[in-house]
Amino acid sequence: ILNVEQSPQSLHVQEGDSTNFTCSFPSSNFYALHWYRWETAKSPEALFVMTLNGDEKKKGRISATLNTKEGYSYLYIKGSQPEDSATYLCAFKDFNKFYFGSGTKLNVKP
Amino acid sequence: DGGITQSPKYLFRKEGQNVTLSCEQNLNHDAMYWYRQDPGQGLRLIYYSQIVNDFQKGDIAEGYSVSREKKESFPLTVTSAQKNPTAFYLCASSIDSRLSTDTQYFGPGTRLTVL
């Protein structure tokens, strides 16, 4: 079983703050790293798929970077809004299976 | 509407009873997955199926069984051998599990409580 760790476990920020969180994964035999967003009472939804060292992805105010050599990915949210409140999951893809971290729960206060 | 459905949303069972959780998708995806979530933990893979009539054990398969007789359906049976079955169960599907870019689509989940 591969170990995927996310930090922090939870985060409380004010509207307008920028924030970031980390996903750590095994640096050997990298295949892909996926980020998902999971809002309360909804299903997890895909945010980014990252496959190459140095990958940077962006969707609106949310962006992600990838360092496969050291085994980490950062997710950044610029100017957080209350609608960004959710749990953000990262998942390390090992060929045909995913290993999920326990998530970072973000709460953005108006 | 294309998507994944899981039923029921909440399920209560007595200890020692087998229970089957339903998962159906109309996305024409080849791969399907079952995950379990416990408080403070990430999603853990129970079983997955890359194609109809084929499935493999995940990391925590003991006490569970599945079938994949149709592309659209991947039911999960929680047997009495599962020592701690109370949990939130999520089903997912994807186009082709062998692709690095293959994204999973999740159902709404079933919360199982064993009394």
Side-chain angles (χ1 to χ4, degrees):
Chain A
I1 297 178
L2 295 173
N3 194 31
V4 178
E5 294 186 354
Q6 291 188 248
S7 62
Q9 197 169 10
S10 64
L11 203 49
H12 297 263
V13 302
Q14 289 294 136
E15 182 175 352
D17 287 350
S18 292
T19 188
N20 65 85
F21 19 96
T22 307
C23 173
S24 302
F25 50 84
S27 56
S28 58
N29 299 320
F30 180 81
Y31 196 57
L33 193 284
H34 292 231
W35 280 99
Y36 289 85
R37 171 192 161 98
W38 193 358
E39 290 181 73
T40 302
K42 294 188 178 180
S43 306
E45 290 184 342
L47 269 177
F48 301 118
V49 178
M50 312 186 81
T51 56
L52 298 173
N53 186 42
D55 245 356
E56 289 190 25
K57 302 279 183 175
K58 188 173 180 181
K59 188 182 286 187
R61 293 178 291 98
I62 306 177
S63 60
T65 61
L66 178 69
N67 184 324
T68 60
K69 293 181 181 177
E70 296 183 35
Y72 65 82
S73 176
Y74 292 142
L75 190 78
Y76 300 91
I77 303 179
K78 187 177 176 182
S80 303
Q81 299 296 309
E83 58 265 30
D84 295 329
S85 297
T87 297
Y88 292 83
L89 301 173
C90 69
F92 179 86
K93 193 170 197 288
D94 176 23
F95 189 53
N96 55 14
K97 291 195 296 184
F98 286 89
Y99 295 89
F100 282 83
S102 55
T104 292
K105 187 169 184 177
L106 175 66
N107 181 33
V108 182
K109 297 177 186 175
Chain B
D1 275 340
I4 301 179
T5 56
Q6 290 185 246
S7 61
K9 192 171 180 178
Y10 299 97
L11 193 52
F12 297 88
R13 278 295 182 267
K14 290 183 180 178
E15 197 171 339
Q17 288 182 332
N18 290 356
V19 60
T20 297
L21 279 59
S22 164
C23 178
E24 304 276 331
Q25 55 100 357
N26 60 5
L27 300 167
N28 200 32
H29 286 173
D30 279 330
M32 296 186 76
Y33 313 79
W34 274 105
Y35 293 94
R36 169 183 171 136
Q37 190 195 32
D38 294 284
Q41 295 197 40
L43 301 178
R44 291 186 292 166
L45 184 64
I46 305 172
Y47 268 97
Y48 66 103
S49 168
Q50 292 179 268
I51 200 163
V52 67
N53 291 323
D54 182 60
F55 50 83
Q56 286 84 39
K57 291 182 179 180
D59 302 315
I60 56 166
E62 188 175 345
Y64 299 97
S65 66
V66 292
S67 63
R68 187 85 189 277
E69 295 173 5
K70 297 187 296 181
K71 190 174 186 177
E72 310 79 45
S73 178
F74 192 40
L76 174 75
T77 297
V78 185
T79 75
S80 55
Q82 168 48 233
K83 292 189 169 68
N84 188 16
T86 294
F88 184 69
Y89 291 87
L90 264 179
C91 179
S93 70
S94 67
I95 295 172
D96 184 345
S97 63
R98 298 166 298 176
L99 301 175
S100 63
T101 55
D102 191 44
T103 297
Q104 296 195 320
Y105 293 77
F106 288 88
T110 292
R111 187 166 295 280
L112 173 65
T113 303
V114 176
L115 307 168

